[in-house]
Amino acid sequence: MRTLYHPSVAEMNLSTVLYALSDPIRLSILKRLAENGEQSCSSLDMSVPKSTLSHHFKVLRESGVINTRIEGTQRYISIRYNDLNTRFPGLLDAVLKELKRTDGAQEAKK
Amino acid sequence: MRTLYHPSVAEMNLSTVLYALSDPIRLSILKRLAENGEQSCSSLDMSVPKSTLSHHFKVLRESGVINTRIEGTQRYISIRYNDLNTRFPGLLDAVLKELKRTDGAQEAKK
DNA sequence: TCTATTGTTCGATTATAATCGAACAAGGAA
DNA sequence: TTCCTTGTTCGATTATAATCGAACAATAGA
């Protein structure tokens, strides 16, 4: 737990990133980060058990979508805007644009 | 089998589309379609059993990524460029740009 | 009509991922 | 040190998806 894995820009993989972004809960997290900037994990209460949330943070982090910064007992997560824009130009903007319109997750689970 | 389901532009869902695009085989199919335009299903031999391929075509079609046109015993598939660009501006371009660079699937399955 | 071609569907298997309680780890404060 | 807070990890369960052979369906041609 000492060091959390973050892929370098070169290590980021398209299908892995798209997969990370294909889950409604993870899109909700992304939306919150886009709206409010860096957040402590505890600040985004999503009516989901913390172990489940932690899992989603890990998927987002290990794909390269978010950065996790450790400060004391808290973790602060944020979107890796520049890195994503460098590796996959236009991708993040397209996703965030849709998230702004709705929540991107509506009726995703039928 | 008479009619194949295709979602309307309004019915397209972000997480569903991202999920459809998150698979290496489906990205390979997309790349082929982007490079060569409309293709008959049989023309893209991907060293994968046809039942598996048919499954991936279905995922792509039902998410709204591709269109399937029936002509005789053959099916011709193509990317729904305009519809995708209307619904999720910039998303497809960002994906295709990366596919042009590599195949988007390299080392995705470890 | 018989046969070959193209592709879907079925059904079973395997693989991968989501979920979440409980235990654990690391700080910070009393 | 003890307790509280924050978050991860473990382990088990459930859910979802990928895979692929075999059977089926539709059409075209001999």
Side-chain angles (χ1 to χ4, degrees), chain B residues 40-55:
Chain B
S40 70
C41 292
S42 60
S43 71
L44 9 144
D45 62 327
M46 319 223 40
S47 68
V48 166
K50 60 181 185 172
S51 58
T52 301
L53 258 192
S54 188
H55 162 70

Side-chain angles (χ1 to χ4, degrees), chain B:
Chain B
M1 195 203 300
R2 183 72 22 94
T3 43
L4 298 173
Y5 171 71
H6 288 84
S8 68
V9 170
E11 285 168 341
M12 290 182 188
N13 174 272
L14 180 61
S15 64
T16 303
V17 168
L18 293 175
Y19 179 76
L21 296 176
S22 71
D23 180 271
I25 291 180
R26 293 195 288 268
L27 283 179
S28 295
I29 294 169
L30 194 74
K31 181 182 167 78
R32 296 282 285 270
L33 294 176
E35 288 170 342
N36 307 313
E38 187 182 59
Q39 299 284 303
S40 70
C41 292
S42 60
S43 71
L44 9 144
D45 62 327
M46 319 223 40
S47 68
V48 166
K50 60 181 185 172
S51 58
T52 301
L53 258 192
S54 188
H55 162 70
H56 288 302
F57 292 149
K58 185 178 183 180
V59 173
L60 286 169
R61 178 172 46 76
E62 295 190 339
S63 70
V65 174
I66 67 173
N67 180 269
T68 302
R69 179 171 68 78
I70 301 179
E71 190 177 313
T73 59
Q74 306 221 121
R75 269 94 174 129
Y76 290 89
I77 60 177
S78 56
I79 299 175
R80 292 177 64 180
Y81 284 103
N82 292 341
D83 292 340
L84 285 168
N85 284 330
T86 299
R87 186 68 182 78
F88 306 113
L91 182 63
L92 183 59
D93 285 343
V95 171
L96 293 183
K97 180 168 190 167
E98 170 64 9
L99 290 183
K100 193 170 287 184
R101 226 179 52 79
T102 66
D103 70 353
Q106 104 277 46
E107 81 159 276
K109 296 268 187 182
K110 282 191 296 198

Side-chain angles (χ1 to χ4, degrees), chain A residues 6-7 12 16-21 26 30 33 57 59-67 78-81 83-84 92:
Chain A
H6 288 85
M12 291 182 188
T16 304
V17 168
L18 293 175
Y19 180 77
L21 295 176
R26 293 195 288 266
L30 193 73
L33 293 177
F57 292 149
V59 173
L60 287 169
R61 179 172 45 75
E62 297 191 337
S63 70
V65 174
I66 67 172
N67 181 270
S78 56
I79 300 175
R80 292 177 64 180
Y81 284 104
D83 291 341
L84 285 169
L92 183 60

Side-chain angles (χ1 to χ4, degrees), chain A residues 14-72:
Chain A
L14 180 61
S15 65
T16 304
V17 168
L18 293 175
Y19 180 77
L21 295 176
S22 71
D23 180 271
I25 291 179
R26 293 195 288 266
L27 282 179
S28 296
I29 294 170
L30 193 73
K31 182 181 165 82
R32 296 282 286 270
L33 293 177
E35 287 170 343
N36 307 315
E38 187 183 58
Q39 300 283 303
S40 71
C41 292
S42 60
S43 72
L44 6 148
D45 61 326
M46 318 223 40
S47 68
V48 166
K50 60 179 185 172
S51 57
T52 300
L53 258 192
S54 188
H55 163 71
H56 288 301
F57 292 149
K58 185 178 183 180
V59 173
L60 287 169
R61 179 172 45 75
E62 297 191 337
S63 70
V65 174
I66 67 172
N67 181 270
T68 302
R69 179 170 67 81
I70 300 179
E71 190 176 312

